[in-house]
């Protein structure tokens, strides 16, 4: 009996942190989308093949991804709509938004339904494009509201979070209790929390600057997000742009806090845009996208990095030297979804596609020795 209990405890301990199941035989020669130095990735797969495809997030059973796309091969609308894709067979993506207006930031609920933000209630047409500017800005459409829908349903999506101003960037806590989202309802771009059972709202941030892209930790007790903290002249520029429903995402860092917004802490203090953060399944590290190593060198190069929640030196995860962003670990911890400009021919491209890879928690000799084919 004693030996049985010891073995049982060892098995429970081994399962405490999700482990990536490695194939019995890994063949580096077939890993044509992996780059030298990407020791934590194996078997990189491309799932979309044109246009702009981004913010691909896993269903709770890790069988599907929801993502936004303007790819003309699947979306004739001309601006982003939300699609669901089965990961195993990588078949045709299925449109799950209305095909009207513009959508962003889809995210699954535990019961298989999903959220996304859309402008379709204001207009069936795409919002007008931005006029040319001397700085890179994002539009903050004040007609975005957050809806909940079901795949395969012919019913219109149900309004979940709405009202005047921008409501978007919604994600769901793993325990299914809360939605974190970004809203301009207070006059600034702040994080808010919506309780699904009661509809209660809680403002999580209250500091001048853009607070957005929040995600919950695996235990639902913390949030991580990107934020700008403009001061002096930059604060005036920020306020001026916000008055035009614009935000300049060129200077942001990563923050964490408790899920109720208390005890906020800055994790990174890096130049450039540090954004798209997501908790590692173990809870003590954050993966995020950044261009800090290429600031001031012409066209920015965005890569994925890992940093301890307590702060410290980031470790580079991707090395395509193109654009790698929007990382999300699968719920079982075995895979990473991300968006990238990489392609099998290693030619420059502005197409952003969805990729998944096996996550290698503890790289082996075959990973350290990996060399890109091209």
């Amino acid at each position: 009996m004693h030996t049985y209990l010891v073995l049982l405890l060892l098995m429970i301990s081994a399962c405490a942190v999700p482990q990536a199941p490695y194939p019995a035989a890994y063949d580096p020669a077939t890993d044509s989308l992996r780059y030298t130095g990407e020791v934590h990735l194996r078997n990189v797969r491309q799932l979309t093949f044109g246009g702009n495809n981004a913010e691909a997030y896993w269903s709770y059973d890790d069988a599907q991804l929801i993502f936004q796309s303007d790819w003309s091969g699947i979306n004739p609308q001309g601006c982003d709509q939300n699609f669901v894709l089965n990961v195993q067979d990588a078949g045709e993506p299925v449109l799950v938004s209305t095909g009207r207006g513009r959508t962003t930031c889809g995210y699954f609920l535990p019961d298989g339904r999903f959220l996304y933000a859309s402008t379709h209630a204001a207009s069936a047409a795409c919002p007008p494009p931005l006029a040319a500017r001397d700085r890179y800005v994002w539009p903050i459409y004040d007609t975005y509201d957050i809806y909940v829908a079901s795949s395969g349903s012919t019913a219109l999506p149900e309004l979940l979070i709405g009202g005047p101003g921008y409501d978007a960037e919604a994600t769901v806590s793993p325990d299914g209790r809360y939605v974190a989202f970004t809203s301009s309802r207070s006059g600034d771009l702040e994080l808010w929390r919506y309780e699904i059972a009661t509809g209660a709202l809680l403002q999580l941030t209250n500091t001048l600057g853009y607070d957005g892209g929040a995600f919950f930790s695996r235990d639902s007790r913390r949030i991580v997000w990107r934020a700008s903290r403009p001061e002096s002249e930059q604060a005036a520029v920020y306020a001026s742009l916000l008055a035009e429903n614009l935000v300049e995402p060129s200077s942001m860092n990563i923050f964490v806090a408790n899920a109720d917004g208390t005890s906020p802490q800055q994790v990174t203090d890096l130049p450039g845009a540090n954004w798209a953060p997501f908790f590692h399944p173990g809870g003590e590290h954050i993966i995020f996208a950044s261009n800090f190593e290429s600031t001031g060198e012409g066209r920015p190069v965005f890569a994925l990095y890992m940093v301890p929640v307590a702060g410290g030196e980031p470790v580079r995860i991707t090395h395509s030297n193109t654009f790698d962003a929007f990382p999300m670990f699968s719920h079982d911890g075995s895979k990473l979804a991300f968006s990238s400009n990489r392609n099998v021919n290693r030619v420059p491209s502005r197409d952003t596609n969805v990729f998944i890879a096996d996550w290698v928690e503890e790289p082996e000799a075959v990973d350290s020795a990996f060399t890109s084919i091209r």
Side-chain angles (χ1 to χ4, degrees):
M1 178 64 73
H2 176 73
T3 301
Y4 172 80
L5 288 174
V6 170
L7 289 172
L8 180 60
L9 289 171
L10 287 172
M11 291 172 63
I12 293 172
S13 176
C15 295
V17 176
Q19 299 296 312
Y22 301 142
Y26 170 66
D27 183 0
T30 66
D31 217 348
S32 58
L33 289 162
R34 186 185 187 186
Y35 280 74
T36 302
E38 294 182 340
V39 298
H40 289 283
L41 306 181
R42 285 185 187 175
N43 298 313
V44 183
R45 291 174 57 203
Q46 184 172 346
L47 301 183
T48 63
F49 296 90
N52 296 293
N53 306 270
E55 303 206 49
Y57 302 130
W58 295 93
S59 60
Y60 277 66
D61 62 3
D62 295 330
Q64 297 179 310
L65 291 169
I66 187 169
F67 66 100
Q68 64 195 49
S69 176
D70 68 2
W71 177 21
S72 61
I74 58 174
N75 177 14
Q77 169 71 345
C79 59
D80 287 338
Q81 293 293 315
N82 265 262
F83 294 81
V84 165
L85 179 68
N86 290 327
V87 173
Q88 188 62 37
D89 58 21
E92 185 76 8
V94 176
L95 176 69
V96 293
S97 53
T98 63
R100 297 161 51 91
R102 184 186 186 100
T103 70
T104 189
C105 304
Y107 210 84
F108 278 100
L109 288 157
D111 62 7
R113 295 180 301 157
F114 43 82
L115 310 174
Y116 62 85
S118 177
T119 66
H120 74 264
S123 173
C126 295
L130 289 175
R133 290 180 173 268
D134 61 356
R135 63 204 317 146
Y136 177 64
V137 294
W138 286 346
I140 303 297
Y141 297 117
D142 59 7
T143 52
Y144 265 139
D145 289 319
I146 298 169
Y147 296 83
V148 61
S150 301
S151 184
S153 173
T154 58
L156 288 174
E158 177 186 350
L159 178 65
L160 186 71
I161 302 170
Y166 175 86
D167 295 309
E169 306 176 36
T171 62
V172 183
S173 59
D175 62 11
R177 292 185 61 191
Y178 298 111
V179 174
F181 66 103
T182 296
S183 178
S184 62
R185 64 185 58 212
S186 68
D188 194 7
L189 289 167
E190 304 287 2
L191 293 182
W192 289 73
R193 192 182 74 181
Y194 174 89
E195 187 171 21
I196 295 174
T198 66
L201 285 167
L202 176 67
Q203 186 171 343
L204 302 180
T205 60
N206 190 25
T207 304
L208 181 70
Y210 168 46
D211 293 275
F215 293 89
F216 290 88
S217 59
R218 189 57 51 86
D219 62 7
S220 301
R221 295 180 178 179
R222 292 179 292 177
I223 55 171
V224 61
W225 75 98
R226 59 182 180 236
S228 67
R229 291 292 179 258
E231 298 178 347
S232 303
E233 294 181 4
Q234 290 303 311
V237 171
Y238 171 80
S240 176
L241 287 172
L242 187 58
E244 299 181 65
N245 290 326
L246 300 171
V247 67
E248 184 177 18
S250 59
S251 179
M252 297 185 293
N253 273 291
I254 307 302
F255 290 74
V256 295
N258 294 328
D260 61 0
T262 58
S263 302
Q265 296 179 327
Q266 185 171 339
V267 177
T268 63
D269 186 12
L270 299 168
N274 304 278
W275 60 299
F278 197 84
F279 279 101
H280 178 274
E284 297 306 317
H285 291 80
I286 295 163
I287 192 169
F288 68 102
S290 178
N291 66 337
F292 79 90
E293 290 188 299
S294 65
T295 54
E297 298 180 3
R299 184 182 178 186
V301 173
F302 282 92
L304 299 182
Y305 298 84
M306 190 86 80
V307 66
V309 171
E313 190 71 20
V315 173
R316 188 163 176 171
I317 301 298
T318 61
H319 293 266
S320 73
N321 291 319
T322 60
F323 172 88
D324 297 312
F326 302 112
M328 181 188 181
F329 286 101
S330 59
H331 291 268
D332 68 4
S334 70
K335 297 186 184 299
L336 184 75
F338 64 102
S339 295
S340 177
N341 291 161
R342 68 180 65 202
N343 57 75
V344 70
N345 295 317
R346 301 293 205 265
V347 296
S349 174
R350 293 293 183 109
D351 287 349
T352 302
N353 285 298
V354 174
F355 296 79
I356 61 172
D358 294 337
W359 177 255
V360 182
E361 187 66 33
E362 297 293 339
E364 300 175 355
V366 68
D367 303 302
S368 300
F370 181 86
T371 302
S372 302
I373 298 171
R374 293 176 184 266

